[in-house]
Every structure is written in C-alpha cells, then in structure tokens.
Amino acid sequence: EGADAAADDRLFVIVGAGAAGTAAASALREHGFAGRVLLIDREQAPGYDRTVLSKFVIAGEMPPAQIPELKDPAFFAEQRIERLHAEVRRVDAERRQLELGDRRVLHYDAALLATGAEPKTLDVPGAQLHNVHVLRSRAHAASILQATLPGDRAVIIGDSFIGLEAASSLRKRGLSVTVIARHEVPFAKQFGLEIGRAIRLLHESNGVVFRVGEEAVSFEAGHAVDDQQVQAVRLACGERIVADLVLLGVGVSPATDLLQGLRLCDDGGLAVDKHMRAAPGLWAAGDIARFPLDDEHLRIEHWRVAQQHARVAAQDMLGTQVAYDGVPFFWTQHFGKRFDYLGHASDWQETVIHGDLVHLRFVALLCNDDQVVGVVACQQEAVTALLAERMRQPLSKVQALALIEQVSAQTASH
C-alpha cells in the first residue's frame, strides 16, 4: 500500500448488515476505499440470505442452521471490514454523528443506512398469543418450524409474497392452510389479473383455501385460564377459523425511526436521489430508500434491488457519480414453480403472454405504447436472464417477442 492508502483515516459507517449493507461494504473495498469500514448490525450473526426463509426453510427443506451467509466469515477479516454488534439509537445527519445504544457517539465521514424493514403486526386482541408469528429472521423461521407438525392448521393473514410463499411451504410440510386474503386475485397489482389468477389456481389445486375480503378481528386462545396458545382466528363476519398457527403476512415498515433531522416520507421511507443520497454525507439503500425510477419515486422491498442500490451508494460515497439505472428484479416461488419479475410497471395497457398459462411455462410482457415496462416469467430462466440485460435500454414489444422466439427455438433444438 502506498503512502496515500495509509493516510486515509476516513470512517465510513454502514448501519445494517443485510443484503444492502453487506453488498455496500464489499463494493467500497472493491472500488478502492482504503479507510475504515464499520458495519454496525443489531443481529449478532453475519447477514444471511433472508429470501430462503419463506421459500425453503419453513417448508422443512433447509435447516435454519444451514441458511447461507452472505459472505464467508474470513471475508470480513481479509477486507478489513469491522463488525460491531450494536443498536443505533440516533443518526444526526447535520453533525455526521451516530449515537449507539450504549450512548457512545461516532463521528463519520460518510454513512449508509441499510436498516431494512420490520414486519408489521396486527393491533387486534390476541395478537400477543403464542403461535402468532411474523417471518423475517432465522429465529422466526426456527420458531415456526418448532411450533408446527404436519396435520396442523395454519391461518395466514395476508396474500403478500411472504404470505403466499409461506402457504406453499407449509402445505409442503403437510399443514392445512387458509389464507385470509385482501384481494380476490393475488399479485394482480404486480403481475396483472391473468397471472394472478393462475397463481391462485396453483395454490387452490394444492389445497390452499382462500377467504377473500374477510378481516381478522381477533385471535382467540383456549378456554383454560392460563392458556396462551392461539386456537382460532375470528373474522369480522363472526366466523371462527380453527388455527394451531397464525402467520402474519401483512407487509413491512421501513426501519427508520432512529433518524433525526431528516424528513421521512408518509410510509416511513427515506427519500434519496438517483445516487441514493439522502443528505450530505448520508446515503440509504434497500427497503428504507424511496428512490427515483423512470418518472416515479418508489420503495422496492426486494433483495436484488437492495444490492443494486448498495453498489451505487458505495461508489457515490467514494465520489464517483453513478446513478441507479438497474432493472429491478425479484423472484417468488410457489409449489416448485419459480416466477421471475423484471422491471417496474405500476400500470400498463397490455399484457402479451407467450407460452402456456395453464401449465405455467410462459413469458408475459407488460407493455405501454408497445414498449415493455415489465416482464413476468415462469420456469423460463434463460429468457429472463437475456431480457434482464436487454431491458437496460428501451425494449419494444416486437423486439422482445423476437428474442423470446429465438431463445425458445434454441432450447427446442437442444
């Protein structure tokens, strides 16, 4: 290392060591930062892949202890990334200070907030009973596994991605599953009605029961005096659904309550510019960041986007003017079928489906004015990878269909 490297006494702090925080720490080193990198996390264990919790862990297909860590423990030592297990109580953007749970104050040169989100709970009677769960951490997944046996009855509140991935996983373990759904058709807002219906049908043909438009008003225990186990979910219509386990899949809230001197958006998110900057010296990435994409400002609560954000923020912290221009991507899995989503479409005029919705092998183009704004694909990973690359530039419906045909022809000939 040259004299310059030795002289870099800047402190860059990253708060949160999930997908975004870990990716940012790694990108800072990759792009040549020679100062101190401090990764502060309130979880004791290094960051791990949360996406497997609802997809595989509670299905009994991957033990909680085997969830892959985001980076090998040796990585932190090799890259000189300091890890501190602590709560951050306050961030003062104006003074560039962080206050920790033990009242220690750190002065930073640059900080990245990547605190992620907290699962929402329901404020109804019985919400504190045993076996009413949320699913966000390894510990949550472990307690859901311990609390249930095949044959048990699970009630899932909410038809979110987590809610329905969990429905699929718990059915796989042999539980009976009822979903209290807000929407007639799940994921219609993200995927459109046709694909949403196909996913609902996939669930129903695997034994998941949907109760649409009903609301859970309370969770009830047994009648014994000290019984603290949930035994039923009471709906607004008065009906009582027996439950050995209740799982809340009602969304998440950005973990931003520690910020001082910064205005938050109505949903608790933190507004950033296209460089992921929230204020001088302060950046944000992942679930908490409301960022500009096309002509909107959005928060996207997905794994890959958090990593894309982090890489942009890290480079910008180092003075390189990089803007977020990624193609948002996420995937969801239900009963062994993988659905990939590319882009971002909040509304679109036309859905063009290439392939087979019944047997769930298709690519769907969500189009506005003959331009592709989003893609939903099922069991078509080669095409998805190609389209993800191509969607960095504007892509017309005609071009996209030609690409899909081309890949289909290649796969057919092998």
Side-chain angles (χ1 to χ4, degrees), residues 223-407:
H223 294 305
V225 178
D226 53 358
D227 196 345
Q228 287 300 303
Q229 295 286 337
V230 74
Q231 291 202 351
V233 174
R234 177 77 63 184
L235 301 180
C237 63
E239 189 187 339
R240 187 172 175 276
I241 299 180
V242 177
D244 303 298
L245 169 104
V246 173
L247 178 61
L248 304 178
V250 291
V252 296
S253 310
T256 50
D257 40 3
L258 47 92
L259 295 173
Q260 294 240 318
L262 283 176
R263 288 225 332 270
L264 297 179
C265 307
D266 294 343
D267 67 351
L270 184 59
V272 296
D273 65 13
K274 62 179 193 244
H275 307 294
M276 309 309 299
R277 197 178 320 145
L282 187 68
W283 287 259
D287 291 353
I288 65 172
R290 180 170 285 279
F291 67 105
L293 183 65
D294 304 328
D295 304 321
E296 302 179 72
H297 277 78
L298 323 157
R299 269 195 329 103
I300 296 185
E301 296 160 355
H302 291 297
W303 190 252
R304 187 67 61 86
V305 174
Q307 291 171 322
Q308 291 171 336
H309 279 175
R311 303 189 74 80
V312 170
Q315 291 173 72
D316 204 65
M317 288 163 87
L318 293 171
T320 316
Q321 291 280 305
V322 184
Y324 178 81
D325 66 347
V327 176
F329 162 81
F330 71 91
W331 65 287
T332 181
Q333 181 155 312
H334 305 265
F335 298 101
K337 301 280 186 203
R338 175 183 168 128
F339 297 81
D340 289 299
Y341 183 92
L342 297 170
H344 171 76
S346 44
D347 53 59
W348 63 96
Q349 297 153 344
E350 182 189 15
T351 304
V352 181
I353 293 174
H354 183 283
D356 186 346
L357 258 188
V358 179
H359 297 100
L360 293 175
R361 201 181 167 77
F362 64 84
V363 180
L365 306 174
L366 313 182
C367 303
N368 257 338
D369 302 325
D370 290 327
Q371 289 292 311
V372 178
V373 287
V375 171
V376 189
C378 185
Q379 303 294 93
Q380 294 282 18
E381 284 169 64
V383 185
T384 310
L386 196 62
L387 286 170
E389 252 335 285
R390 270 299 282 107
M391 281 175 73
R392 289 176 168 281
Q393 271 73 47
L395 178 65
S396 74
K397 180 168 80 178
V398 177
Q399 291 168 322
L401 284 168
L403 263 176
I404 296 167
E405 288 290 354
Q406 193 184 323
V407 177

Side-chain angles (χ1 to χ4, degrees), residues 29 67 80 107 135 149 160 170 173 206 221 227 255 313 336 355 357 400 408:
R29 289 295 185 228
I67 297 172
R80 296 182 302 116
H107 293 264
L135 178 56
L149 289 167
S160 60
L170 293 175
R173 273 189 66 224
N206 281 284
D227 196 345
L357 258 188
S408 306

Side-chain angles (χ1 to χ4, degrees), residues 31 91 120:
H31 292 285
V91 178
K120 290 182 182 166

